Amino acid sequence: MKKDILLGVFKSKGRLNKEANSKYRSPFQRDRDRIIHSASFRRLKHKTQVFVNTEGDHFRTRITHSIEVAQIARSIAKYLKLNEDLAETLSLAHDLGHTPFGHAGEDSLDECMQNYGGFDHNLQTLRIVMFLENKYFKFAGLNLTLETLEGLLKHNGPVDDQSMINKLIGSKVFKNKINFNTYPSLEAQISAISDDIAYNNHDIQDGIKANLFKLEELVELEFFKDIYQKYKNKINKKNYKIAIYQIIRDSIDIMIRDLLSNTEKNIRKFKIKSLKDVSKSNQLIVSFSDKIENSEQEIRSFLRHRMYDNKSVLNKNQRGKKIIKKLFKIIKSNPRKFLTKEQLTKDKYRAISDFISGMTDRYAINLYNDNK
């Protein structure tokens, strides 16, 4: 595939606020660097992936997950001769909008905001990079490229319902420079599917580490049966941990190989030769074969039953939900104690939501304990 099929090394449609290009870095490298240097990215270090961040140093957090997604995405983009910097940037930024306590925290905050516009972590990521991270004299936010904004906006594909965008961001802010109804760039599609590859495999690894299920039980999944059989006779007490790493490594390798093969097939099948061809497409180009897609669904189902719905995990999630609801109530009753007059000027409830969603797990727990 030729490099000019997509973005090349330096080309970009620009930014919402005009800036001179750097002589030394591509626009997408600058985006990546702005994300890495943001306070929101640093706070991901202490935000839950599955296990509450106070539980141990060896479980994944949002920041380690984001780095792993970026590594997978960059490798895929490089092989397909696409823009590695854009794929990496989107991967590092995709979870910036997550609340403390993972998806349980998001559900709880959304319930609190039900009468005030709701909450969505993907759109919160855009609020962060467009409004809340303020480091420049000339504009609010990080002023990322249109390609990065579009990739974050369409993390799950075309946006059919713009009501949430209007509530949380405002469609006019995009100055008609982004078409909400098309599929995003191949780099954005790579980032989204790399997210799936990373969390499915690494949640399995963390689940075994947390003794929620055993390595041997992975044979319940057709996908892992052959991988496990390959190493079954070599596994003993001494190398059990290494066996887990090896099996997960093989799993990721199989998924990526399948993805590359199927995506190349799709590019030929749908005659993708330019950015316009991608946006005209009525389906994802970057995708697994049906066989691996079915395996992915099977793995998700296994994780839901054995990990996410595990009693101890659910109990901790319930505590996280309780903390967020209590904090919302406390801050709502006396917002000036926690937020500046400027923050509360536009929309008091959205300002409270921004504040809570930006908290780390431990900050939320400490604030809760201090205000019991």
Side-chain angles (χ1 to χ4, degrees):
M1 200 190 312
K2 294 177 184 175
K3 267 204 173 177
D4 60 1
I5 282 182
L6 282 199
L7 300 172
V9 180
F10 288 96
K11 291 177 185 176
S12 167
K13 295 176 194 170
R15 304 172 189 273
L16 291 176
N17 298 286
K18 284 187 179 180
E19 283 187 72
N21 283 330
S22 167
K23 292 180 181 178
Y24 315 107
R25 293 175 295 165
S26 78
F28 311 115
Q29 284 177 297
R30 291 179 85 189
D31 282 2
R32 176 199 62 201
D33 296 346
R34 288 177 183 190
I35 287 156
I36 288 173
H37 288 279
S38 70
S40 302
F41 184 74
R42 288 196 297 278
R43 284 198 294 268
L44 294 179
K45 180 183 178 185
H46 297 292
K47 287 197 179 191
T48 291
Q49 179 66 16
V50 174
F51 299 100
V52 176
N53 179 243
T54 54
E55 287 187 25
D57 294 333
H58 301 291
F59 295 117
R60 284 171 172 84
T61 63
R62 287 281 164 200
I63 204 166
T64 54
H65 167 69
S66 297
I67 291 167
E68 287 165 342
V69 175
Q71 176 264 318
I72 291 169
R74 191 168 186 110
S75 299
I76 293 167
K78 186 181 177 91
Y79 180 85
L80 293 172
K81 296 185 172 63
L82 302 177
N83 196 295
E84 301 162 48
D85 295 329
L86 178 57
E88 179 182 32
T89 297
L90 291 166
S91 303
L92 290 172
H94 81 283
D95 269 353
L96 289 180
H98 259 294
T99 61
F101 313 119
H103 287 287
E106 177 177 12
D107 292 343
S108 185
L109 187 54
D110 187 37
E111 285 172 30
C112 294
M113 288 293 291
Q114 201 166 27
N115 297 323
Y116 314 112
F119 178 84
D120 177 273
H121 82 267
N122 285 323
L123 292 179
Q124 188 65 21
T125 294
L126 280 154
R127 281 187 62 76
I128 287 167
V129 300
M130 294 178 77
F131 310 129
L132 303 178
E133 282 282 349
N134 285 310
K135 296 186 173 182
Y136 299 90
F137 288 122
K138 293 182 179 178
F139 47 78
L142 301 178
N143 198 33
L144 303 179
T145 59
L146 291 168
E147 289 82 5
T148 296
L149 293 180
E150 181 181 20
L152 294 173
L153 184 66
K154 300 176 184 176
H155 186 71
N156 297 317
V159 181
D160 299 320
D161 182 5
Q162 290 182 34
S163 59
M164 278 294 278
I165 293 173
N166 282 319
K167 287 174 190 171
L168 273 72
I169 300 163
S171 298
K172 288 180 182 177
V173 181
F174 296 103
K175 301 175 183 177
N176 293 318
K177 292 185 177 181
I178 291 176
N179 184 343
F180 299 132
N181 303 314
T182 59
Y183 276 93
S185 65
L186 296 189
E187 287 86 350
Q189 294 181 36
I190 286 169
S191 173
I193 206 161
S194 296
D195 186 19
D196 294 344
I197 293 170
Y199 77 66
N200 277 340
N201 283 286
H202 296 140
D203 282 1
I204 279 180
Q205 196 171 355
D206 280 356
I208 295 169
K209 196 176 289 182
N211 296 316
L212 297 180
F213 48 86
K214 296 188 185 322
L215 177 63
E216 293 78 4
E217 292 175 77
L218 291 182
V219 296
E220 291 175 24
L221 297 163
E222 197 62 40
F223 176 79
F224 279 103
K225 201 177 281 181
D226 290 341
I227 303 174
Y228 181 77
Q229 288 300 328
K230 198 161 86 173
Y231 300 107
K232 185 181 176 183
N233 296 329
K234 297 179 184 176
I235 300 171
N236 54 49
K237 283 184 180 179
K238 284 184 180 178
N239 66 19
Y240 192 79
K241 285 184 180 177
I242 294 173
I244 297 167
Y245 284 118
Q246 185 61 57
I247 286 168
I248 295 300
R249 196 157 52 237
D250 281 15
S251 167
I252 293 171
D253 185 59
I254 290 166
M255 287 181 187
I256 291 175
R257 284 171 183 269
D258 178 87
L259 181 72
L260 293 171
S261 170
N262 199 61
T263 300
E264 286 184 316
K265 199 183 293 178
N266 287 341
I267 287 168
R268 290 191 299 270
K269 181 180 174 182
F270 301 115
K271 297 175 182 172
I272 304 297
K273 294 178 181 176
S274 70
L275 272 170
K276 283 183 181 177
D277 294 335
V278 177
S279 62
K280 283 178 189 173
S281 171
N282 60 2
Q283 65 182 83
L284 288 168
I285 307 297
V286 180
S287 63
F288 294 118
S289 66
D290 289 343
K291 182 184 175 185
I292 297 297
E293 179 58 43
N294 290 336
S295 296
E296 281 273 299
Q297 298 294 342
E298 193 184 9
I299 292 166
R300 279 193 202 110
S301 177
F302 177 87
L303 285 168
R304 186 167 58 253
H305 294 306
R306 304 299 294 274
M307 189 173 185
Y308 310 141
D309 290 344
N310 178 276
K311 193 176 178 182
S312 66
V313 174
L314 286 175
N315 286 341
K316 279 154 190 165
N317 284 345
Q318 282 304 119
R319 176 165 159 74
K321 283 185 173 186
K322 179 185 171 185
I323 289 170
I324 283 184
K325 284 182 178 174
K326 180 71 173 175
L327 288 178
F328 191 87
K329 191 177 176 183
I330 291 165
I331 298 164
K332 187 173 78 167
S333 66
N334 187 8
R336 283 302 302 274
K337 182 181 174 184
F338 303 93
L339 299 162
T340 65
K341 187 179 178 181
E342 186 186 12
Q343 286 173 309
L344 295 166
T345 303
K346 287 184 181 178
D347 182 337
K348 179 176 85 170
Y349 297 105
R350 187 55 57 194
I352 295 170
S353 169
D354 289 339
F355 180 47
I356 292 174
S357 68
M359 293 177 183
T360 61
D361 292 15
R362 63 184 183 181
Y363 181 89
I365 291 166
N366 290 339
L367 193 61
Y368 170 81
N369 288 334
D370 290 344
N371 288 273
K372 271 184 179 178

